[in-house]
């Protein structure tokens, strides 16, 4: 039990402790850990000799700390838990607590590379039916290889950053035209943050997942479906996806999710040897999608066909190196029911079935001024619940 006011019973209690980077007033960006409705200033804690991390916690991003690796991550976490639970530390630690309402959250890590996967069988099947009616919903390779593509690291933004409606080429009855997207969508995803790099030419096996991956963020991979539909064949997504990817301001350590690992869906046909993870585990994370303040879907991450460890192994099977700050996302999280989908493309079935809101308004895709917020929870120890940092964004008109 933490001595911090309000931490007991909070989904951001001592069993969670996500890391972020914050600005308080006119001070420089600092690394902190969330506890309840406060942020523990870890830069100040390290400067005071309360936490030892070789100066990595005094940086303006998490990257130096991420590079330290699992033993140091565990040691710092254990020390922070001690500082926040032992009343003897209260006199020295309490002055380092900053009310959450007073801080501005910044992008927590410098993104090195960004890869987005396509790992939900339900999502892939739905999209196949919408984009390729009359054809098999899954392409022949889908259950053999974790499909993914490279995104733009430079357009990954922290939660709360407005998203400008993208412009690009679209198909029309008269041929291609150029203009602002009229089918702007979201993709509710879970992202994985790489800490420890790998050497170019080396493969990272599934068993080494926890040695390299520090933690988890929620992701909204904004998508312009009309631009995507025109450009995606034959090489896949490009400008329909690369204009903005929002991530939460808090990175939840894998250690906080220890009780959330559950058996992943059975894979048939059998996968290639390098993808065989034993045990075959996914994460019991339940997402919630709010559109202009109304909950419209609850995607279940536990249904994802390809696991995070398999994604990492596939990402590196060709010898591509990992870098500290790499982000790879799961792809849209969708379950078998309409109320469990992670995109509005699926929720409105390609725009043919509008969503009706309490005020009588309807939507098929995002309009200027719309706000989307994605939250998530996962089981913690002893029946508790932990929360992942939310990711939210508001659509601005095209420029």
């Amino acid at each position: 039990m933490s001595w911090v006011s309000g931490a007991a019973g909070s989904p951001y209690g001592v069993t969670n402790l996500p890391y972020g980077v914050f600005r308080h007033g006119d001070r420089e960006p600092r690394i902190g850990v969330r506890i309840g409705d406060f942020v523990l200033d870890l830069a100040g804690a390290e400067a005071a000799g309360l936490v030892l991390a070789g100066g990595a916690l005094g940086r303006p991003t998490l990257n130096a700390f991420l590079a330290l690796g699992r033993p140091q991550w565990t040691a710092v976490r254990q020390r922070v838990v001690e500082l926040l639970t032992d009343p003897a530390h209260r006199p020295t630690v309490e002055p380092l607590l900053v009310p959450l309402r007073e801080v501005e959250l910044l992008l927590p890590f410098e993104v090195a590379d960004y890869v987005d996967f396509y790992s939900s069988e339900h999502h892939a099947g739905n999209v196949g039916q919408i984009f390729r009616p009359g054809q098999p919903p899954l392409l022949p390779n889908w259950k053999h290889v974790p499909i993914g593509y490279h995104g733009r690291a430079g357009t990954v933004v922290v939660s709360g950053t407005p998203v400008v409606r993208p412009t690009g080429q679209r198909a029309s009855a008269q041929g291609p035209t150029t203009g602002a997207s009229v089918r702007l969508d979201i993709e509710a995803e879970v992202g994985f943050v790489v800490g420890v790099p790998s050497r170019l030419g080396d493969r990272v096996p599934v068993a080494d997942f926890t040695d390299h991956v520090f933690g988890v963020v929620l992701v909204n991979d904004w998508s312009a479906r009309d631009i995507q539909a025109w450009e995606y064949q034959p090489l896949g997504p490009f400008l329909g996806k690369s204009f903005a990817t929002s991530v939460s301001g808090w990175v939840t350590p894998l250690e906080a999710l220890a009780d959330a690992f559950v058996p992943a869906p059975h894979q048939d046909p059998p996968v290639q040897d390098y993808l065989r993870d034993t045990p075959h585990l996914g994460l019991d994370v339940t997402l919630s999608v709010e559109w202009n303040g109304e909950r419209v879907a609850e995607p279940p991450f536990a249904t994802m066909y390809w696991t995070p460890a398999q994604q990492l192994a596939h990402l590196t099977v060709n010898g591509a190196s990992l870098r500290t700050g790499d982000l790879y996302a799961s792809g849209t999280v969708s379950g078998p029911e309409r109320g469990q989908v992670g995109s509005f493309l699926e929720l409105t079935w390609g725009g043919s079935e509008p969503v009706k809101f309490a005020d009588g308004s309807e939507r098929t895709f995002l309009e200027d001024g719309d706000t989307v917020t994605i939250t998530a929870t996962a089981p913690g120890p002893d029946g508790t619940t932990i929360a992942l940092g939310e990711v939210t964004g508001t659509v601005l008109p095209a420029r």
Side-chain angles (χ1 to χ4, degrees), residues 213-224:
V213 172
F214 171 75
V216 172
V217 291
L218 291 180
V219 175
N220 184 352
D221 196 34
W222 304 85
S223 301

Side-chain angles (χ1 to χ4, degrees), residues 62-85:
L62 283 170
N63 291 59
F65 177 65
L66 298 178
L68 295 179
R70 177 65 53 194
Q72 188 66 51
W73 303 337
T74 299
V76 169
R77 180 176 173 83
Q78 291 173 343
R79 177 58 173 166
V80 171
V81 169
E82 179 186 347
L83 294 174
L84 295 173
T85 55

